[in-house]
Amino acid sequence: MNKLSPALALVLLATAVPSCASSRSQTSPEPLITQEATALNAPERWAFGPETDGEVAAGWSEIIKDDALLALMDEALAANPGLRASAESVRRSEAFLRQSRSGLLPSLGASAGASGSSPFEDADLSENYNLGVSASWEADLWGAISSDILASEYDLVSTEAVYRSSREALAAAVARAYVVAIDAGNAVALSQATLTAQEETLRIVNVRYELGAADRREQVLAESDIASARDSLEQALAAQRSAVRALEVLLGRYPDGTLPIPDTLPAVTDVVIAGQPADLLRRRPDIVAAESSVRSAFANTAIARTGRWPSLSLSGGVSSATSDLGDLVDPAALALSLGIRLAGTLFDGGLTTARIDAAESNGRIALANYGSTVLDAYADVEGRLDDVQTLRNRAGYVETAAENARETLRLAEIQYREGAIDLLDVLTFRQRSFQADRTLLSLRRAQIESRITLYLALGGAI
């Protein structure tokens, strides 16, 4: 028993040192992460934000008041192939984490075998049987395994954040595509109405021509505008079909353009609640992913540094080898084996140092990327808030311009019938009215899209 005392001492050392190593203070990225974010001097309130800075909406249903659109968003989240791939990335990261945690536990193995041999001159076969159970364990002397687990945990957090970002981006894309498809349908209706008006104008021109009140020039001009209106209608129809197909692809459906689309834009909440800039650090998935990447990089640096120190592994087993199958479990045939191995690198040509330098550079890169991500997120929200306010300010002007353009056209058509103005004036006013109405439709679509993109910029649903 005394012969095993040195081995037992090393075993005790192997179990004691990891606790000391894990209790040893390691370089934490926390101060650097905080410093990177605070260096941007973000204000307490958004520069372009609303006066209300309460809690941001927790889900899309609090922003969008359209059951049909919400149902399509749920359909896309369940069927989109790209999102399924992102979900599998999360499962893979979970598997990597379990793989890392297995390093703290011993590995067990078992073996059994039989063999036989006989000289060529003698047909008598000599049989041999063996049975063995073995175990091995590598001590986490310097915290390499623990750091690997930490890195895997942070990688999982990052992957989960990327998955959530993909979900929110897909939901927002469906909402925008839905709005674009409705707007395209409204553009078709506007183009059709314009064509109908142009055809009515040609009818009036023809009547006036037969009466001698109009010349051939006016007929040609009216016919030319009808051709242009028909061309615009074809373009609007093509844009509508393209918009519907784009929405179907997001839903995971075959893009055959048969998805029914309503003609009314979805209702969205008018009150903008954007929270505070500090809230963004915990809401935005890309910021969460970037922060986790920093922490993972620092954990990987700790792993690289352990390459300077030796590793300690223990092994043991019980085996039996006999020529009689019945004696395999006989205590007299059993043999116990114990082993301990302390191994380290004496010279590697600077490989370990280079790995540490590379890992530290990866940490600095991740930290810089985190700062860039935070800055881009702030800019994204400020830009979307500015868009919302700008579109809100424009709404009254555009609506007034459209109403006045329609009234001007109505009066011009009356004057033309009375012979007071030329046909060219009527067609000019009609084109102006069409452009004003189209601008108004685009503005209404943009207002809804701005609310969708703002909510996505704020981090989406949490």
Side-chain angles (χ1 to χ4, degrees):
M1 189 70 176
N2 291 334
K3 294 180 180 179
L4 296 178
S5 296
L8 290 175
L10 284 175
V11 172
L12 292 175
L13 175 65
T15 56
V17 171
S19 61
C20 297
S22 61
S23 64
R24 217 174 31 242
S25 60
Q26 297 182 354
T27 304
S28 172
E30 191 67 37
L32 297 175
I33 292 174
T34 302
Q35 178 182 346
E36 196 73 26
T38 55
L40 299 175
N41 295 320
E44 293 184 359
R45 303 172 66 89
W46 297 107
F48 295 93
E51 294 182 1
T52 305
D53 64 356
E55 195 71 21
V56 180
W60 286 102
S61 60
E62 297 182 25
I63 300 296
I64 298 173
K65 306 302 179 181
D66 187 305
D67 292 338
L69 174 53
L70 292 173
L72 291 178
M73 293 167 74
D74 289 338
E75 179 182 341
L77 293 176
N80 187 271
L83 191 60
R84 293 204 307 270
S86 183
E88 284 302 322
S89 296
V90 174
R91 297 187 183 94
R92 180 179 60 186
S93 294
E94 291 173 343
F96 285 152
L97 177 57
R98 295 195 302 271
Q99 177 179 316
S100 298
R101 287 173 175 167
S102 68
L104 292 175
L105 302 175
S107 62
L108 301 175
S111 63
S115 62
S117 61
S118 173
F120 282 109
E121 297 84 359
D122 188 354
D124 188 13
L125 185 65
S126 174
E127 299 177 352
N128 291 284
Y129 303 93
N130 61 80
L131 181 67
V133 177
S134 61
S136 61
W137 176 62
E138 182 174 347
D140 191 17
L141 280 179
W142 318 112
I145 299 176
S146 300
S147 296
D148 186 44
I149 294 174
L150 277 179
S152 296
E153 289 175 346
Y154 294 137
D155 287 341
L156 175 57
V157 172
S158 178
T159 305
E160 289 174 337
V162 171
Y163 173 62
R164 186 167 74 84
S165 178
S166 299
R167 284 179 58 88
E168 297 310 298
L170 176 60
V174 169
R176 288 196 297 264
Y178 182 78
V179 171
V180 169
I182 293 175
D183 178 69
N186 291 336
V188 169
L190 179 60
S191 297
Q192 182 62 63
T194 301
L195 174 60
T196 301
Q198 298 283 35
E199 292 173 340
E200 175 61 17
T201 298
L202 178 60
R203 186 191 67 79
I204 295 173
V205 169
N206 289 335
V207 172
R208 287 170 55 84
Y209 179 77
E210 292 174 358
L211 296 175
D215 56 21
R216 176 59 182 160
R217 179 184 62 85
E218 290 185 335
Q219 276 189 317
V220 172
L221 186 58
E223 290 170 354
S224 175
D225 269 29
I226 285 179
S228 296
R230 287 173 177 165
D231 178 62
S232 297
L233 178 59
E234 285 299 323
Q235 293 183 53
L237 288 169
Q240 182 187 37
R241 293 192 297 270
S242 177
V244 173
R245 289 196 300 269
L247 178 56
E248 289 171 332
V249 169
L250 291 173
L251 297 174
R253 299 187 186 184
Y254 186 85
D256 56 8
T258 60
L259 180 68
I261 301 295
D263 55 8
T264 304
L265 290 170
V268 297
T269 55
D270 187 53
V271 178
V272 177
I273 300 179
Q276 298 176 339
D279 300 333
L280 205 64
L281 300 181
R282 61 177 178 82
R283 282 190 59 91
R284 286 258 308 205
D286 55 344
I287 295 179
V288 174
E291 181 180 337
S292 297
S293 295
V294 174
R295 298 181 185 279
S296 177
F298 271 68
N300 284 320
T301 300
I303 297 173
R305 287 173 179 157
T306 62
R308 293 170 171 169
W309 313 109
S311 62
L312 177 66
S313 60
L314 306 177
S315 62
V318 177
S319 61
S320 174
T322 68
S323 59
D324 189 344
L325 183 60
D327 293 337
L328 270 179
V329 294
D330 188 344
L334 298 178
L336 174 66
S337 62
L338 291 175
I340 187 166
R341 181 174 180 269
L342 188 66
T345 302
L346 298 178
F347 177 75
D348 60 5
L351 175 62
T352 300
T353 302
R355 285 175 174 170
I356 294 173
D357 291 342
E360 290 175 345
S361 293
N362 286 336
R364 290 189 291 269
I365 291 171
L367 193 62
N369 288 338
Y370 170 76
S372 178
T373 301
V374 173
L375 181 58
D376 289 343
Y378 285 149
D380 190 16
V381 174
E382 293 285 12
R384 302 294 76 75
L385 287 169
D386 193 14
D387 289 344
V388 170
Q389 189 59 44
T390 299
L391 291 169
R392 183 175 293 166
N393 294 339
R394 288 182 56 202
Y397 307 137
V398 174
E399 289 177 1
T400 299
E403 291 174 1
N404 292 342
R406 286 193 293 269
E407 178 64 14
T408 302
L409 174 61
R410 186 184 69 81
L411 295 174
E413 289 174 339
I414 294 175
Q415 290 177 315
Y416 175 72
R417 292 189 187 96
E418 296 175 350
I421 62 173
D422 190 72
L423 176 62
L424 182 59
D425 295 325
V426 176
L427 297 179
T428 299
F429 288 130
R430 177 169 292 138
Q431 182 63 26
R432 182 177 297 177
S433 177
F434 173 83
Q435 290 298 337
D437 285 338
R438 189 69 192 94
T439 301
L440 180 59
L441 289 176
S442 298
L443 176 70
R444 290 171 178 170
R445 184 197 78 186
Q447 285 182 304
I448 297 174
E449 287 183 318
S450 68
R451 294 291 288 112
I452 294 170
T453 54
L454 171 59
Y455 185 60
L456 180 63
L458 290 170
I462 59 173

